[in-house]
Amino acid sequence: MYKKILVAFTFLLQISGCATTQGGKGFDLVDDNEYAKALPFFEAAAIQDGDKTSAVMASFLYLSDYQIPRDIDKAKKYFGLAKSLGYAPWDQYLDYFIPLAEARIMLYDDDPDNDSQGTDILRGNRYSEYSPALGLLAKTYAFGKGVDKNLKISKLLFQRAIGHDRYVYSAHHYAWWLATHPDEEFRDGALASELIKDVMEDDEEAERSSTLDTLAAIYAENGQCNEAVKIQKEAIEKLTKESKEHPQFIVWESWLSCRLKTYEQAQPWHYKSGQMPFSGATGSQPCVWK
């Protein structure tokens, strides 16, 4: 049943992408992996046209922390707008995606009391083959947020997410944590190296500062700190260029710089024990090298 819903959703996105509406332009850009460029079209379609689908998409994009720094307040704003807007014909498929947005908000906001509600949504059977939900659930198990920490279950879920992902995002996500997770038991530099190869074969992803940042972290985790320094400098240079078009990207600069200094000390960069990396770039304090 839910696989049919996903097929129908994909079909509707293709129809939207062919349209000349603001929402349609947004979907065209998402299909081209241009999330940051798509966001203003979804915002305009949601506010000006009362488009429920675009409001849901805007909420999702503000939650992603991928190409767009996470902004919980704006995610809540568009989620609330989506809930308030009526359904257009064929909009019933949004009942599949609206709970996912709600789960993300619960896990990424500052209220730990609702974390378990968020993970309960993600564990629903209807999301058992949806890679974004699987990847986020894997992350909750990796850090014990809303669930009891279980590294074995986390790794199984990451692998399952990759198996159901038509793109390289899940592989990128898993490779990052294999290189930077605070627990040595979780880290696996060799597997991270294998996964990042697939990511680097995607020409667009290979050019992004976030991908180069992950690649450098993997080199450092594998003891190749000289190569990590080289790649991290490229990542910072690329971020500077990206920030000219998207000024909000600059929030990542301090973190990339801190990692560079770590690699220059011939050390890999890991999250600190007990650190909960769910707030996203905009919700974190700038990284200060000590």
Side-chain angles (χ1 to χ4, degrees):
M1 173 180 176
Y2 294 111
K3 182 177 287 187
K4 291 181 180 179
I5 291 175
L6 283 176
V7 171
F9 181 66
T10 302
F11 177 67
L12 285 166
L13 292 188
Q14 290 172 344
I15 292 176
S16 299
C18 294
T20 57
T21 63
Q22 295 186 98
K25 292 175 183 177
F27 282 120
D28 279 343
L29 288 164
V30 165
D31 195 48
D32 290 337
N33 196 31
E34 295 289 354
Y35 292 4
K37 292 180 180 178
L39 180 58
F41 289 103
F42 287 129
E43 290 181 302
I47 295 172
Q48 298 171 12
D49 305 333
D51 183 8
K52 190 180 187 78
T53 299
S54 292
V56 173
M57 286 299 298
S59 181
F60 265 113
L61 292 182
Y62 273 121
L63 289 164
S64 68
D65 215 37
Y66 174 76
Q67 298 187 26
I68 300 162
R70 187 173 302 132
D71 190 319
I72 292 296
D73 289 338
K74 289 186 177 179
K76 287 181 177 180
K77 169 187 173 181
Y78 285 103
F79 179 77
L81 178 59
K83 295 278 284 186
S84 71
L85 292 170
Y87 287 85
W90 305 104
D91 269 359
Q92 284 73 20
Y93 69 92
L94 291 176
D95 288 339
Y96 182 89
F97 294 95
I98 287 175
L100 286 175
E102 185 173 21
R104 288 174 179 269
I105 289 171
M106 288 176 175
L107 289 165
Y108 292 145
D109 66 15
D110 295 327
D111 183 4
D113 292 337
N114 62 22
D115 290 346
S116 61
Q117 293 175 258
T119 55
D120 283 346
I121 293 172
L122 296 175
R123 284 201 296 264
N125 186 59
R126 59 180 175 171
Y127 302 126
S128 63
E129 295 183 358
Y130 188 54
S131 59
L134 291 167
L136 180 54
L137 186 59
K139 186 176 174 181
T140 66
Y141 276 102
F143 290 91
K145 187 172 180 64
V147 294
D148 291 333
K149 184 176 179 179
N150 190 311
L151 301 183
K152 182 177 180 180
I153 291 177
S154 175
K155 289 190 172 188
L156 289 173
L157 286 167
F158 273 124
Q159 291 287 4
R160 184 173 178 82
I162 291 172
H164 289 288
D165 197 344
R166 58 182 288 200
Y167 302 108
V168 297
Y169 309 143
S170 295
H172 186 177
H173 192 198
Y174 190 21
W176 169 254
W177 294 117
L178 287 170
T180 64
H181 194 280
D183 294 358
E184 183 178 359
E185 179 184 355
F186 188 92
R187 296 195 298 272
D188 188 334
L191 178 55
S193 293
E194 289 302 312
L195 292 174
I196 203 66
K197 288 179 183 177
D198 292 334
V199 180
M200 296 303 293
E201 288 178 359
D202 184 308
D203 291 340
E204 289 186 358
E205 284 299 292
E207 291 297 316
R208 298 187 188 278
S209 61
S210 58
T211 305
L212 295 173
D213 186 31
T214 299
L215 180 61
I218 293 170
Y219 273 122
E221 177 61 20
N222 285 307
Q224 299 173 269
C225 288
N226 288 338
E227 191 66 21
V229 168
K230 175 185 174 184
I231 298 298
Q232 193 69 2
K233 287 181 178 178
E234 292 178 12
I236 293 171
E237 181 179 352
K238 185 65 177 178
L239 179 64
T240 300
K241 293 179 180 178
E242 291 171 345
S243 298
K244 292 179 180 179
E245 183 175 4
H246 304 292
Q248 67 271 28
F249 283 19
I250 205 67
V251 299
W252 287 304
E253 183 180 40
S254 68
W255 290 94
L256 268 65
S257 296
C258 277
R259 284 193 272 275
L260 173 60
K261 292 176 180 178
T262 303
Y263 306 150
E264 289 175 338
Q265 297 295 318
Q267 296 176 3
W269 186 91
H270 303 139
Y271 284 86
K272 295 179 180 178
S273 181
Q275 190 173 5
M276 277 287 188
F278 281 80
S279 60
T282 54
S284 303
Q285 294 295 321
C287 184
V288 179
W289 176 254
K290 296 181 180 179

